[in-house]
Amino acid sequence: MKIQFRQEPLAELQTPALVAYGFEGAGSSQGSVERLPAATRALLQELQTSGELSGKAFECTLLHRPAGLKVERLLVVGAGKRDKFNLAQLRCLAGTAVRFLRARSLHELAWTLDGAAEDVEVLAEGALLGDYDADRYRTERNGERRIDTLWLAAGGAPAGEAANAALECGRILAEAQNFTRDLVNEPANSMTPTLFARQAQEMAGRLGLECQVLGPEEIQALKMGAFMAVAQGSEEPPRLIVLRYTPPDAPPAPVVGLVGKGITFDTGGISIKPSENMHEMKTDMAGGATMLGVMRVIAQLKPCVRVIAVVPATENMPSGKAYRPGDVITSMSGKTIEILNTDAEGRLVLADALAYARQLGCTALIDAATLTGAVTIALGNITTGVFGWNKEWVNRVLEAAGQAGEKMWALPVDEDYRELYKSPIADLANTGGRYGGAITAAMFVGEFAGDTPWVHLDIAGTRWSNEEKPYRAKGPTGHGVRTLVRLLQNLAAGK
Ligand code: BES
Ligand code: MN
Ligand code: ZN
């Protein structure tokens, strides 16, 4: 999608579709509709009086050859209540306009720009995210319906340097988020651990990140007994993906470790999952895909902070070689783990990946994982669960999430839950039962972060959207990428 500024006055602009938004109950007196010529606003006022135009969030009203304008069409998008409006909502409005217009076979639109450079960033994001469809494997692709050009109609004022930078920033973020969505959407037969690692290598090579991929012998040599236990049931060899971003002028600390669960398919192993919905477990590498998306952004935006991403990638399969319930394994950290359920595999691969990230010198750790069904019971598909002992780091993540417009919520960790994953014969058991399942899973993972500040994001619910939204296709979301980028930018800025 080409995104460019247009300078002519709105009344002179010629384009297939101009988009403006207005608020609920505010008529044409607030929102970007305010910038339209008087004749156009009078028209909108009439529609509002007759009850055809309400301004409710995401309401789309398409007018042909509107009075006062030279455009072929005017799309008025409802922005909802004025006092609830923010950049996150603006991002969604841009996506809504894109999806509405391309469904009507339009390929070009102009957005009535109203304000600051930060608007430009979210508009670019919203448009690019809204234009995404997980339709790679459809022979009759929706892709033919995509938007080719988005004009940002500044209505006279020349686009400043800040606006251009914001546009570039928005594009980089949204394209990385869509890259993550593509990885998550890919079926397990074309996203084996080997192919996943190849994607990482290719991206890193293109953008100048350091990339290292370890195979089974090297993983074994590192004594990653927990990771290898999960991997041993699969015919597909595991991969440990390591990406490094080391800006020359960055201080030696912090070194932020981004650890992403990379289970390319989770059958549950010997504790096999029911077949209903098992196909969804192709998305069990979403944490890893999130971290690759974040690395892709920072390779381009270059914040001044050191980052290492570690993604343990494997399938979790049942077979004659698979690990069993009752097995006791020794993790890289030396802690022993009794396996009670082979379907609690995510925490095992994360245990060794966190230990490895610490060995590589990370001074702060964040993991993202589709870790538990329990978190989806608690928070649904809307909100990511955030866990950690270090309040400062948890708050940093929550703050970044707020800034990035992604919903995240802290759930507790507490000593009292430790009881639940004790083992009579080993240091830990790999499950803590159904009650508080998201918490015990998170705390299990945290046992391997040692005394390094650590935050865990359980994205099992938010990785995927089962419903189509006006501004977003159903399917993979890429949730988490923007928050982590923002966190790293805040750190780099010394915030
Ligand atoms: N990958 C699953 C969690 C999951 C569930 C992700 C639904 C996305 C959607 C994870 O490996 C798993 O199977 N967790 C078990 C843990 C249990 C055995 C303690 C779960 O949540 O049921
Ligand atoms: Mn599982
Ligand atoms: Zn899993």
Side-chain angles (χ1 to χ4, degrees):
M1 189 192 297
K2 185 172 90 179
I3 309 178
Q4 272 173 18
F5 293 93
R6 285 277 280 269
Q7 313 301 352
E8 54 266 64
L10 286 179
E12 297 305 317
L13 191 71
Q14 296 195 17
T15 182
L18 178 68
V19 185
Y21 63 87
F23 294 108
E24 200 173 328
S28 58
S29 63
Q30 285 173 350
S32 66
V33 289
E34 221 183 327
R35 316 219 23 216
L36 298 171
T40 319
R41 282 163 53 196
L43 179 62
L44 298 183
Q45 201 60 55
E46 267 176 47
L47 292 175
Q48 207 211 359
T49 312
S50 70
E52 275 175 84
L53 195 149
S54 76
K56 283 209 167 64
F58 312 131
E59 174 195 69
C60 287
T61 310
L62 189 62
L63 306 173
H64 288 256
R65 298 278 170 208
L69 292 168
K70 291 191 176 155
V71 300
E72 292 166 42
R73 299 168 192 81
L74 174 66
L75 172 64
V76 182
V77 184
K81 296 237 158 54
R82 176 82 190 86
D83 56 358
K84 295 233 177 84
F85 190 70
N86 56 21
L87 288 174
Q89 180 77 345
L90 185 60
R91 188 185 287 112
C92 292
L93 297 186
T96 301
V98 160
R99 294 192 74 74
F100 182 90
L101 290 170
R102 56 176 225 160
R104 282 152 189 81
S105 300
L106 290 164
H107 300 288
E108 189 178 323
L109 66 122
W111 187 274
T112 310
L113 209 54
D114 178 38
E118 51 180 7
D119 279 14
V120 172
E121 178 173 338
V122 297
L123 287 172
E125 284 169 16
L128 290 162
L129 296 171
D131 207 30
Y132 178 90
D133 260 312
D135 60 356
R136 233 195 110 178
Y137 290 103
R138 301 180 78 142
T139 47
E140 263 178 63
R141 290 180 66 165
N142 285 339
E144 283 147 29
R145 299 201 152 207
R146 281 185 187 146
I147 297 287
D148 305 320
T149 311
L150 167 63
W151 301 109
L152 298 173
E161 214 167 283
N164 278 311
L167 172 56
E168 195 49 28
C169 204
R171 176 185 290 286
I172 288 169
L173 272 159
E175 283 177 351
Q177 199 175 326
N178 286 344
F179 166 70
T180 294
R181 293 164 98 182
D182 273 338
L183 294 175
V184 172
N185 193 53
E186 205 59 39
N189 61 335
S190 55
M191 191 51 71
T192 61
T194 305
L195 294 171
F196 193 18
R198 212 166 277 166
Q199 290 277 345
Q201 260 165 332
E202 202 193 295
M203 182 274 287
R206 211 156 18 86
L207 296 174
L209 293 167
E210 202 182 314
C211 180
Q212 206 181 351
V213 175
L214 310 188
E217 289 80 23
E218 293 147 296
I219 296 167
Q220 191 79 58
L222 285 165
K223 298 199 159 58
M224 294 190 168
F227 183 15
M228 282 312 290
V230 177
Q232 75 191 34
S234 174
E235 294 287 328
E236 290 290 338
R239 293 285 183 262
L240 184 68
I241 306 166
V242 182
L243 295 172
R244 278 188 184 79
Y245 169 70
T246 319
D249 46 348
V255 181
V256 182
L258 302 177
V259 177
K261 172 174 171 181
I263 302 294
T264 59
F265 196 71
D266 181 11
T267 64
I270 298 297
S271 315
I272 197 161
K273 288 179 181 294
S275 55
E276 197 187 357
N277 297 331
M278 199 200 273
H279 64 283
E280 291 182 1
M281 286 303 117
K282 71 174 185 179
T283 65
D284 212 18
M285 33 57 77
T290 301
M291 297 322 190
L292 297 193
V294 174
M295 296 306 280
R296 180 176 153 143
V297 177
I298 64 172
Q300 296 171 85
L301 293 186
K302 304 193 188 305
C304 190
V305 56
R306 296 172 56 174
V307 185
I308 303 178
V310 179
V311 178
T314 176
E315 292 182 329
N316 183 24
M317 299 292 276
S319 79
K321 290 186 186 156
Y323 76 139
R324 293 152 289 249
D327 284 5
V328 174
I329 59 178
T330 304
S331 66
M332 183 185 181
S333 72
K335 287 194 170 77
T336 58
I337 304 165
E338 183 187 14
I339 303 304
L340 297 182
N341 190 323
T342 62
D343 198 9
E345 84 297 340
R347 62 198 79 185
L348 299 173
V349 302
L350 290 175
D352 283 346
L354 284 171
Y356 188 55
R358 294 186 74 205
Q359 187 179 304
L360 294 180
C362 293
T363 62
L365 297 164
I366 300 163
D367 79 77
T370 47
L371 201 62
T372 66
V375 85
T376 69
I377 304 299
L379 299 173
N381 294 137
I382 313 287
T383 307
T384 287
V386 181
F387 305 80
W389 294 101
N390 188 305
K391 292 233 162 62
E392 190 209 323
W393 275 88
V394 169
N395 287 335
R396 276 180 180 281
V397 171
L398 293 175
E399 197 193 345
Q403 293 164 332
E406 294 184 318
K407 295 182 168 76
M408 299 205 179
W409 196 259
L411 293 171
V413 289
D414 188 290
E415 299 287 346
D416 287 356
Y417 291 92
R418 278 219 165 99
E419 297 288 321
L420 296 173
Y421 56 92
K422 276 190 176 154
S423 161
I425 63 164
D427 296 337
L428 302 162
N430 83 323
T431 69
R434 266 160 51 82
Y435 281 28
I439 297 171
T440 51
M443 285 177 57
F444 180 98
V445 172
E447 302 286 349
F448 298 86
D451 51 12
T452 308
W454 153 84
V455 178
H456 160 66
L457 305 180
D458 196 335
I459 58 168
T462 49
R463 80 201 189 287
W464 192 266
S465 159
N466 284 322
E467 299 124 56
E468 160 128 25
K469 302 269 190 200
Y471 51 86
R472 181 178 77 190
K474 75 175 189 188
T477 59
H479 185 99
V481 172
R482 291 205 311 268
T483 295
L484 294 177
V485 168
R486 190 63 195 237
L487 176 82
L488 296 169
Q489 288 175 323
N490 289 349
L491 282 170
K495 285 186 206 147

